[in-house]
Short mmCIF file of all heavy atoms in Angstrom, two decimals:
data_model
loop_
_atom_site.label_atom_id
_atom_site.label_comp_id
_atom_site.label_asym_id
_atom_site.label_seq_id
_atom_site.Cartn_x
_atom_site.Cartn_y
_atom_site.Cartn_z
N SER A 294 -127.18 -14.36 -68.15
CA SER A 294 -127.52 -13.20 -68.87
C SER A 294 -126.59 -12.06 -68.58
O SER A 294 -125.65 -12.27 -67.69
CB SER A 294 -128.92 -12.65 -68.51
OG SER A 294 -129.10 -12.52 -67.15
N TYR A 295 -126.59 -10.96 -69.25
CA TYR A 295 -125.69 -9.87 -69.10
C TYR A 295 -125.75 -9.36 -67.62
O TYR A 295 -126.90 -9.28 -67.08
CB TYR A 295 -125.84 -8.74 -70.11
CG TYR A 295 -125.30 -9.14 -71.49
CD1 TYR A 295 -126.27 -9.43 -72.54
CD2 TYR A 295 -124.00 -9.29 -71.71
CE1 TYR A 295 -125.70 -9.86 -73.77
CE2 TYR A 295 -123.48 -9.55 -72.95
CZ TYR A 295 -124.37 -9.90 -73.93
OH TYR A 295 -123.92 -10.30 -75.21
N ASN A 296 -124.60 -9.01 -67.10
CA ASN A 296 -124.56 -8.46 -65.78
C ASN A 296 -125.56 -7.34 -65.49
O ASN A 296 -125.59 -6.31 -66.23
CB ASN A 296 -123.18 -7.94 -65.36
CG ASN A 296 -122.93 -7.65 -64.02
OD1 ASN A 296 -123.44 -8.33 -63.14
ND2 ASN A 296 -122.18 -6.67 -63.70
N GLY A 297 -126.42 -7.51 -64.44
CA GLY A 297 -127.49 -6.55 -64.11
C GLY A 297 -128.82 -6.63 -64.86
O GLY A 297 -129.73 -5.84 -64.60
N ALA A 298 -128.91 -7.59 -65.83
CA ALA A 298 -130.21 -7.73 -66.57
C ALA A 298 -131.24 -8.05 -65.65
O ALA A 298 -131.13 -8.77 -64.63
CB ALA A 298 -129.97 -8.79 -67.57
N LYS A 299 -132.45 -7.65 -65.99
CA LYS A 299 -133.59 -7.81 -65.15
C LYS A 299 -134.44 -9.08 -65.51
O LYS A 299 -135.40 -9.39 -64.89
CB LYS A 299 -134.62 -6.57 -65.21
CG LYS A 299 -133.97 -5.30 -64.75
CD LYS A 299 -134.93 -4.19 -64.86
CE LYS A 299 -134.36 -2.87 -64.29
NZ LYS A 299 -135.20 -1.71 -64.47
N THR A 300 -133.90 -9.76 -66.47
CA THR A 300 -134.57 -11.10 -66.85
C THR A 300 -133.86 -12.28 -66.22
O THR A 300 -132.73 -12.17 -65.69
CB THR A 300 -134.55 -11.24 -68.34
OG1 THR A 300 -133.16 -11.26 -68.79
CG2 THR A 300 -135.28 -10.12 -69.03
N GLY A 301 -134.48 -13.38 -66.24
CA GLY A 301 -133.91 -14.67 -65.76
C GLY A 301 -134.16 -14.93 -64.34
O GLY A 301 -134.95 -14.24 -63.69
N VAL A 302 -133.57 -16.05 -63.78
CA VAL A 302 -133.81 -16.50 -62.44
C VAL A 302 -133.00 -15.64 -61.45
O VAL A 302 -132.07 -14.93 -61.88
CB VAL A 302 -133.45 -18.00 -62.31
CG1 VAL A 302 -134.24 -18.78 -63.22
CG2 VAL A 302 -131.92 -18.11 -62.52
N TYR A 303 -133.38 -15.71 -60.16
CA TYR A 303 -132.75 -14.91 -59.14
C TYR A 303 -131.77 -15.75 -58.25
O TYR A 303 -131.14 -15.23 -57.42
CB TYR A 303 -133.81 -14.21 -58.27
CG TYR A 303 -134.26 -12.94 -58.81
CD1 TYR A 303 -134.50 -12.78 -60.19
CD2 TYR A 303 -134.37 -11.84 -58.05
CE1 TYR A 303 -134.89 -11.55 -60.75
CE2 TYR A 303 -134.80 -10.59 -58.47
CZ TYR A 303 -135.08 -10.49 -59.89
OH TYR A 303 -135.52 -9.29 -60.44
N GLY A 304 -131.81 -17.07 -58.46
CA GLY A 304 -130.95 -17.96 -57.72
C GLY A 304 -131.68 -19.07 -57.01
O GLY A 304 -132.88 -19.27 -57.08
N THR A 305 -130.82 -19.90 -56.34
CA THR A 305 -131.33 -21.05 -55.50
C THR A 305 -131.30 -20.60 -54.07
O THR A 305 -130.40 -20.03 -53.55
CB THR A 305 -130.44 -22.25 -55.76
OG1 THR A 305 -130.50 -22.63 -57.18
CG2 THR A 305 -130.82 -23.39 -54.88
N PRO A 306 -132.43 -20.93 -53.34
CA PRO A 306 -132.46 -20.69 -51.87
C PRO A 306 -131.22 -21.26 -51.16
O PRO A 306 -130.77 -22.29 -51.51
CB PRO A 306 -133.71 -21.44 -51.36
CG PRO A 306 -134.67 -21.36 -52.64
CD PRO A 306 -133.68 -21.57 -53.84
N ARG A 307 -130.75 -20.40 -50.19
CA ARG A 307 -129.51 -20.79 -49.43
C ARG A 307 -128.21 -20.41 -50.09
O ARG A 307 -127.18 -20.41 -49.49
CB ARG A 307 -129.46 -22.22 -48.99
CG ARG A 307 -130.73 -22.60 -48.14
CD ARG A 307 -130.93 -24.07 -47.94
NE ARG A 307 -129.94 -24.59 -47.04
CZ ARG A 307 -129.31 -25.76 -47.11
NH1 ARG A 307 -129.54 -26.47 -48.27
NH2 ARG A 307 -128.48 -26.18 -46.24
N PHE A 308 -128.28 -20.18 -51.37
CA PHE A 308 -127.13 -19.75 -52.10
C PHE A 308 -127.20 -18.21 -52.49
O PHE A 308 -126.21 -17.63 -52.96
CB PHE A 308 -126.87 -20.54 -53.38
CG PHE A 308 -126.40 -21.91 -53.17
CD1 PHE A 308 -127.15 -22.96 -52.86
CD2 PHE A 308 -124.98 -22.15 -53.19
CE1 PHE A 308 -126.72 -24.24 -52.60
CE2 PHE A 308 -124.48 -23.37 -53.00
CZ PHE A 308 -125.34 -24.45 -52.62
N MET A 309 -128.40 -17.64 -52.49
CA MET A 309 -128.59 -16.28 -52.89
C MET A 309 -127.91 -15.36 -51.90
O MET A 309 -127.98 -15.45 -50.67
CB MET A 309 -130.13 -15.94 -53.07
CG MET A 309 -130.75 -16.68 -54.25
SD MET A 309 -132.40 -16.27 -54.48
CE MET A 309 -133.33 -16.97 -53.16
N ALA A 310 -127.38 -14.20 -52.39
CA ALA A 310 -126.81 -13.19 -51.56
C ALA A 310 -127.85 -12.62 -50.70
O ALA A 310 -129.05 -12.50 -51.10
CB ALA A 310 -126.14 -12.09 -52.47
N PRO A 311 -127.51 -12.11 -49.51
CA PRO A 311 -128.50 -11.48 -48.58
C PRO A 311 -129.24 -10.35 -49.34
O PRO A 311 -130.51 -10.28 -49.12
CB PRO A 311 -127.62 -10.95 -47.53
CG PRO A 311 -126.41 -11.76 -47.47
CD PRO A 311 -126.15 -12.12 -48.87
N GLU A 312 -128.69 -9.56 -50.13
CA GLU A 312 -129.47 -8.43 -50.86
C GLU A 312 -130.33 -8.99 -51.84
O GLU A 312 -131.38 -8.32 -52.14
CB GLU A 312 -128.46 -7.42 -51.43
CG GLU A 312 -127.58 -7.99 -52.59
CD GLU A 312 -126.30 -8.51 -52.11
OE1 GLU A 312 -126.22 -8.99 -50.99
OE2 GLU A 312 -125.36 -8.60 -52.88
N ILE A 313 -130.24 -10.17 -52.38
CA ILE A 313 -131.26 -10.86 -53.18
C ILE A 313 -132.40 -11.27 -52.33
O ILE A 313 -133.52 -11.10 -52.71
CB ILE A 313 -130.64 -12.00 -54.02
CG1 ILE A 313 -129.60 -11.45 -55.02
CG2 ILE A 313 -131.74 -12.72 -54.77
CD1 ILE A 313 -130.07 -10.71 -56.19
N VAL A 314 -132.14 -11.97 -51.20
CA VAL A 314 -133.10 -12.53 -50.38
C VAL A 314 -134.02 -11.42 -49.80
O VAL A 314 -135.24 -11.62 -49.79
CB VAL A 314 -132.45 -13.24 -49.21
CG1 VAL A 314 -133.56 -13.74 -48.15
CG2 VAL A 314 -131.67 -14.44 -49.65
N THR A 315 -133.44 -10.28 -49.47
CA THR A 315 -134.25 -9.13 -49.00
C THR A 315 -134.85 -8.33 -50.05
O THR A 315 -135.63 -7.30 -49.75
CB THR A 315 -133.45 -8.20 -48.03
OG1 THR A 315 -132.23 -7.72 -48.79
CG2 THR A 315 -132.86 -9.07 -46.87
N GLY A 316 -134.63 -8.62 -51.38
CA GLY A 316 -135.23 -7.90 -52.41
C GLY A 316 -134.58 -6.48 -52.64
O GLY A 316 -135.16 -5.64 -53.37
N LYS A 317 -133.33 -6.29 -52.11
CA LYS A 317 -132.69 -4.95 -52.41
C LYS A 317 -131.89 -4.92 -53.57
O LYS A 317 -131.31 -3.80 -53.87
CB LYS A 317 -131.91 -4.59 -51.11
CG LYS A 317 -132.68 -4.46 -49.83
CD LYS A 317 -131.87 -4.13 -48.62
CE LYS A 317 -132.66 -3.97 -47.40
NZ LYS A 317 -131.85 -3.73 -46.14
N ALA A 318 -131.62 -6.04 -54.16
CA ALA A 318 -130.74 -5.98 -55.40
C ALA A 318 -131.16 -7.00 -56.39
O ALA A 318 -131.93 -7.95 -56.11
CB ALA A 318 -129.32 -6.29 -55.04
N LYS A 319 -130.72 -6.90 -57.67
CA LYS A 319 -130.89 -7.89 -58.74
C LYS A 319 -129.65 -8.68 -58.88
O LYS A 319 -128.60 -8.26 -58.51
CB LYS A 319 -131.29 -7.20 -60.00
CG LYS A 319 -132.64 -6.33 -59.88
CD LYS A 319 -133.74 -7.21 -59.68
CE LYS A 319 -135.04 -6.41 -59.91
NZ LYS A 319 -135.31 -5.39 -58.87
N PRO A 320 -129.74 -9.91 -59.50
CA PRO A 320 -128.55 -10.62 -59.74
C PRO A 320 -127.44 -9.95 -60.60
O PRO A 320 -127.79 -9.17 -61.50
CB PRO A 320 -129.06 -11.86 -60.55
CG PRO A 320 -130.51 -11.95 -60.16
CD PRO A 320 -130.90 -10.53 -59.90
N SER A 321 -126.19 -10.04 -60.12
CA SER A 321 -125.11 -9.45 -60.79
C SER A 321 -123.83 -10.24 -60.54
O SER A 321 -123.86 -11.21 -59.84
CB SER A 321 -124.92 -8.02 -60.20
OG SER A 321 -124.57 -8.05 -58.85
N ARG A 322 -122.67 -9.71 -60.99
CA ARG A 322 -121.41 -10.44 -60.67
C ARG A 322 -121.15 -10.41 -59.15
O ARG A 322 -120.72 -11.42 -58.68
CB ARG A 322 -120.27 -9.60 -61.31
CG ARG A 322 -118.94 -10.20 -60.96
CD ARG A 322 -117.77 -9.46 -61.69
NE ARG A 322 -116.50 -9.94 -61.30
CZ ARG A 322 -115.64 -9.37 -60.44
NH1 ARG A 322 -116.01 -8.24 -59.89
NH2 ARG A 322 -114.47 -9.89 -60.02
#
């Protein structure tokens, strides 16, 4: 999806960025 979109998946465990794991950010470049 487009960079910063609020739709779609958030990632696969162990591959997600720390800020995704902690809920501080949404998926992006």
